[in-house]
PDB file of all heavy atoms in Angstrom:
ATOM      1  N   SER A 406      93.154  19.924 164.960  1.00 87.00           N
ATOM      2  CA  SER A 406      92.208  20.158 163.832  1.00 87.00           C
ATOM      3  C   SER A 406      91.258  19.113 163.587  1.00 87.00           C
ATOM      4  O   SER A 406      90.022  19.439 163.328  1.00 87.00           O
ATOM      5  CB  SER A 406      93.035  20.362 162.575  1.00 87.00           C
ATOM      6  OG  SER A 406      93.784  19.236 162.314  1.00 87.00           O
ATOM      7  N   LYS A 407      91.576  17.934 163.681  1.00 88.00           N
ATOM      8  CA  LYS A 407      90.702  16.723 163.560  1.00 88.00           C
ATOM      9  C   LYS A 407      89.732  16.748 164.787  1.00 88.00           C
ATOM     10  O   LYS A 407      88.492  16.393 164.519  1.00 88.00           O
ATOM     11  CB  LYS A 407      91.429  15.445 163.463  1.00 88.00           C
ATOM     12  CG  LYS A 407      92.286  15.229 162.211  1.00 88.00           C
ATOM     13  CD  LYS A 407      93.013  13.970 162.192  1.00 88.00           C
ATOM     14  CE  LYS A 407      93.787  13.820 160.941  1.00 88.00           C
ATOM     15  NZ  LYS A 407      94.531  12.523 160.748  1.00 88.00           N
ATOM     16  N   ALA A 408      90.181  17.052 165.867  1.00 87.00           N
ATOM     17  CA  ALA A 408      89.232  17.153 167.061  1.00 87.00           C
ATOM     18  C   ALA A 408      88.184  18.177 166.799  1.00 87.00           C
ATOM     19  O   ALA A 408      86.897  17.911 167.197  1.00 87.00           O
ATOM     20  CB  ALA A 408      90.077  17.449 168.309  1.00 87.00           C
ATOM     21  N   ARG A 409      88.472  19.324 166.208  1.00 88.00           N
ATOM     22  CA  ARG A 409      87.513  20.372 165.926  1.00 88.00           C
ATOM     23  C   ARG A 409      86.541  19.865 164.906  1.00 88.00           C
ATOM     24  O   ARG A 409      85.251  20.085 164.975  1.00 88.00           O
ATOM     25  CB  ARG A 409      88.215  21.651 165.471  1.00 88.00           C
ATOM     26  CG  ARG A 409      88.972  22.344 166.520  1.00 88.00           C
ATOM     27  CD  ARG A 409      89.446  23.652 166.056  1.00 88.00           C
ATOM     28  NE  ARG A 409      90.301  24.274 167.096  1.00 88.00           N
ATOM     29  CZ  ARG A 409      91.602  24.178 167.157  1.00 88.00           C
ATOM     30  NH1 ARG A 409      92.243  23.440 166.286  1.00 88.00           N
ATOM     31  NH2 ARG A 409      92.292  24.766 168.155  1.00 88.00           N
ATOM     32  N   GLN A 410      86.933  19.144 163.941  1.00 89.00           N
ATOM     33  CA  GLN A 410      85.945  18.721 162.934  1.00 89.00           C
ATOM     34  C   GLN A 410      85.029  17.616 163.536  1.00 89.00           C
ATOM     35  O   GLN A 410      83.787  17.720 163.246  1.00 89.00           O
ATOM     36  CB  GLN A 410      86.699  17.913 161.754  1.00 89.00           C
ATOM     37  CG  GLN A 410      87.606  18.898 161.071  1.00 89.00           C
ATOM     38  CD  GLN A 410      88.562  18.188 159.913  1.00 89.00           C
ATOM     39  OE1 GLN A 410      88.370  16.913 159.759  1.00 89.00           O
ATOM     40  NE2 GLN A 410      89.286  18.892 159.085  1.00 89.00           N
ATOM     41  N   ALA A 411      85.498  16.762 164.389  1.00 89.00           N
ATOM     42  CA  ALA A 411      84.637  15.720 165.061  1.00 89.00           C
ATOM     43  C   ALA A 411      83.613  16.390 166.017  1.00 89.00           C
ATOM     44  O   ALA A 411      82.487  16.050 166.033  1.00 89.00           O
ATOM     45  CB  ALA A 411      85.525  14.706 165.781  1.00 89.00           C
ATOM     46  N   ILE A 412      84.060  17.446 166.749  1.00 89.00           N
ATOM     47  CA  ILE A 412      83.109  17.986 167.780  1.00 89.00           C
ATOM     48  C   ILE A 412      82.156  18.873 167.079  1.00 89.00           C
ATOM     49  O   ILE A 412      81.021  19.004 167.629  1.00 89.00           O
ATOM     50  CB  ILE A 412      83.924  18.734 168.801  1.00 89.00           C
ATOM     51  CG1 ILE A 412      83.163  18.886 170.054  1.00 89.00           C
ATOM     52  CG2 ILE A 412      84.346  20.128 168.333  1.00 89.00           C
ATOM     53  CD1 ILE A 412      82.841  17.460 170.793  1.00 89.00           C
ATOM     54  N   ARG A 413      82.442  19.440 165.888  1.00 89.00           N
ATOM     55  CA  ARG A 413      81.457  20.294 165.198  1.00 89.00           C
ATOM     56  C   ARG A 413      80.344  19.405 164.725  1.00 89.00           C
ATOM     57  O   ARG A 413      79.228  19.771 164.724  1.00 89.00           O
ATOM     58  CB  ARG A 413      82.177  20.900 163.983  1.00 89.00           C
ATOM     59  CG  ARG A 413      82.974  22.039 164.307  1.00 89.00           C
ATOM     60  CD  ARG A 413      83.468  22.852 163.077  1.00 89.00           C
ATOM     61  NE  ARG A 413      84.452  23.838 163.341  1.00 89.00           N
ATOM     62  CZ  ARG A 413      85.704  23.666 162.878  1.00 89.00           C
ATOM     63  NH1 ARG A 413      86.006  22.515 162.129  1.00 89.00           N
ATOM     64  NH2 ARG A 413      86.542  24.530 163.124  1.00 89.00           N
ATOM     65  N   VAL A 414      80.666  18.201 164.345  1.00 90.00           N
ATOM     66  CA  VAL A 414      79.507  17.232 163.905  1.00 90.00           C
ATOM     67  C   VAL A 414      78.672  16.906 165.172  1.00 90.00           C
ATOM     68  O   VAL A 414      77.422  16.883 165.009  1.00 90.00           O
ATOM     69  CB  VAL A 414      80.087  15.836 163.263  1.00 90.00           C
ATOM     70  CG1 VAL A 414      78.970  14.993 162.852  1.00 90.00           C
ATOM     71  CG2 VAL A 414      80.939  16.254 162.055  1.00 90.00           C
ATOM     72  N   ALA A 415      79.313  16.595 166.217  1.00 85.00           N
ATOM     73  CA  ALA A 415      78.418  16.221 167.463  1.00 85.00           C
ATOM     74  C   ALA A 415      77.691  17.477 167.839  1.00 85.00           C
ATOM     75  O   ALA A 415      76.547  17.271 168.302  1.00 85.00           O
ATOM     76  CB  ALA A 415      79.469  15.932 168.537  1.00 85.00           C
ATOM     77  N   HIS A 416      78.089  18.626 167.664  1.00 86.00           N
ATOM     78  CA  HIS A 416      77.395  19.975 168.013  1.00 86.00           C
ATOM     79  C   HIS A 416      76.321  20.150 167.078  1.00 86.00           C
ATOM     80  O   HIS A 416      75.152  20.585 167.523  1.00 86.00           O
ATOM     81  CB  HIS A 416      78.357  21.072 167.943  1.00 86.00           C
ATOM     82  CG  HIS A 416      77.663  22.328 168.495  1.00 86.00           C
ATOM     83  ND1 HIS A 416      77.500  23.406 167.659  1.00 86.00           N
ATOM     84  CD2 HIS A 416      77.309  22.685 169.731  1.00 86.00           C
ATOM     85  CE1 HIS A 416      76.925  24.315 168.339  1.00 86.00           C
ATOM     86  NE2 HIS A 416      76.723  23.981 169.620  1.00 86.00           N
ATOM     87  N   LYS A 417      76.403  19.807 165.810  1.00 84.00           N
ATOM     88  CA  LYS A 417      75.266  19.807 164.884  1.00 84.00           C
ATOM     89  C   LYS A 417      74.084  18.946 165.278  1.00 84.00           C
ATOM     90  O   LYS A 417      72.908  19.220 165.096  1.00 84.00           O
ATOM     91  CB  LYS A 417      75.709  19.562 163.519  1.00 84.00           C
ATOM     92  CG  LYS A 417      76.543  20.699 162.858  1.00 84.00           C
ATOM     93  CD  LYS A 417      76.989  20.361 161.482  1.00 84.00           C
ATOM     94  CE  LYS A 417      77.902  21.527 160.875  1.00 84.00           C
ATOM     95  NZ  LYS A 417      78.294  21.260 159.483  1.00 84.00           N
TER      96      LYS A 417
END
Side-chain angles (χ1 to χ4, degrees):
S406 61
K407 293 182 179 180
R409 291 188 184 92
Q410 292 176 0
I412 205 63
R413 285 194 195 105
V414 178
H416 187 247
K417 288 180 181 179

